[in-house]
Amino acid sequence: MKIIEVKDYKEMSQKAAEYIIEKVCHNPKIKLGLATGGTPIGTYQNLIADHKQNGTSYANVMTFNLDEYIGLSGENKNSYRYFMDEQLFNHIDINKKNTFVPQGVAEDIQAECERYENLLEEYGGIDLQVLGIGGNGHIGFNEPGTSFQSQTHVVNLATSTINANARFFNQIEEVPVQAVTMGISTIMKSKEILLLASGESKNNAMVQLLNGEITESFPASVLKKHPCVTIIADRAAVAGLKIQC
Ligand code: PGA
């Protein structure tokens, strides 16, 4: 794993955007795996600014999001489809038909998991997957204990995840308790992974990721087995860790 330490959230967001833009310019048909949450918002803002200023085009880019809450339709402001439209897709020249997010309100949710996994397969998989990390080490919504063999599946969200995400909702009772997420093996099939981490609240997770063992009880640890992972983390996230750049 290659680690790039930066000063703060702003610099992480700039560096991450530069990283993605370079890949998009190199391969205008790139298939990006995208994440939601607080971490990538600044990155997406930088992608939008660059698109407006420099004209980087996403006309031929395809995107696949990691996860979606069960029970929330794309019109719901707290759904991840809505988040992606608002935070990125509505502001760049991407064809919305080429943006995929699992359906949180599918009639048959198991069938939806299979459909999403097959979709990824059909399109030849993800070239660059952007990931955040949960305080408990989750990637996507793969909570501690998830099998490293897992494919797209339904998860019960950990209490710590529900608490962490409550900040986006009016009240904690509104946070869905289940989600559809790409599995760990789905994520590991990406050709390349870019993990972003910012702030003190991610410090324990980063310590465990970099110093701990590979174990299903800490999902992100699986990334040590991936041949091409870059981490962009700010000082607060990696405080106390020895980073060799
Ligand atoms: P956050 O979430 O970006 O809102 O901190 C990260 C994650 O849960 O993967």
Side-chain angles (χ1 to χ4, degrees), residues 1 16-17 28 43 45 52 80 88 101 110 135 165:
M1 294 197 293
T43 304
Q45 285 169 353
K52 298 210 157 109
Y80 285 163
L88 182 64
V101 181
Q110 291 305 337
N165 290 0

Side-chain angles (χ1 to χ4, degrees), residues 49-75:
D50 163 77
H51 168 71
K52 298 210 157 109
Q53 279 154 27
N54 307 318
T56 304
S57 176
Y58 296 81
N60 296 308
V61 170
M62 297 185 91
T63 66
F64 298 87
N65 263 78
L66 284 165
D67 44 23
E68 180 61 282
Y69 288 117
I70 290 182
L72 302 192
S73 77
E75 284 85 54

Side-chain angles (χ1 to χ4, degrees), residues 127-208:
D127 296 307
L128 174 64
Q129 175 69 56
V130 178
L131 287 183
I133 183 168
N136 63 0
H138 74 205
I139 48 174
F141 268 140
N142 293 288
E143 302 287 22
T146 306
S147 163
F148 283 169
Q149 310 307 322
S150 54
Q151 299 195 325
T152 303
H153 63 126
V154 173
V155 289
N156 295 321
L157 299 177
T159 307
S160 62
T161 301
I162 292 171
N163 290 338
N165 290 0
R167 69 192 196 277
F168 297 112
F169 293 77
N170 291 327
Q171 44 190 2
I172 195 162
E173 290 74 23
E174 287 177 21
V175 186
V177 294
Q178 286 191 311
V180 178
T181 183
M182 280 188 205
I184 292 184
S185 84
T186 324
I187 293 171
M188 288 292 280
K189 279 185 209 150
S190 312
K191 295 186 186 75
E192 189 179 350
I193 290 173
L194 177 65
L195 181 114
L196 307 178
S198 168
E200 209 186 320
S201 65
K202 300 297 166 71
N203 187 246
N204 281 342
M206 291 308 289
V207 170
Q208 202 166 334

Side-chain angles (χ1 to χ4, degrees), residues 114-128:
E114 278 164 43
R115 184 194 71 85
Y116 202 70
E117 189 73 28
N118 292 338
L119 194 75
L120 285 159
E121 196 96 350
E122 240 169 65
Y123 284 113
I126 288 166
D127 296 307
L128 174 64

Side-chain angles (χ1 to χ4, degrees), residues 33-46:
L34 296 178
T36 51
T39 307
I41 290 177
T43 304
Y44 297 154
Q45 285 169 353
N46 280 285

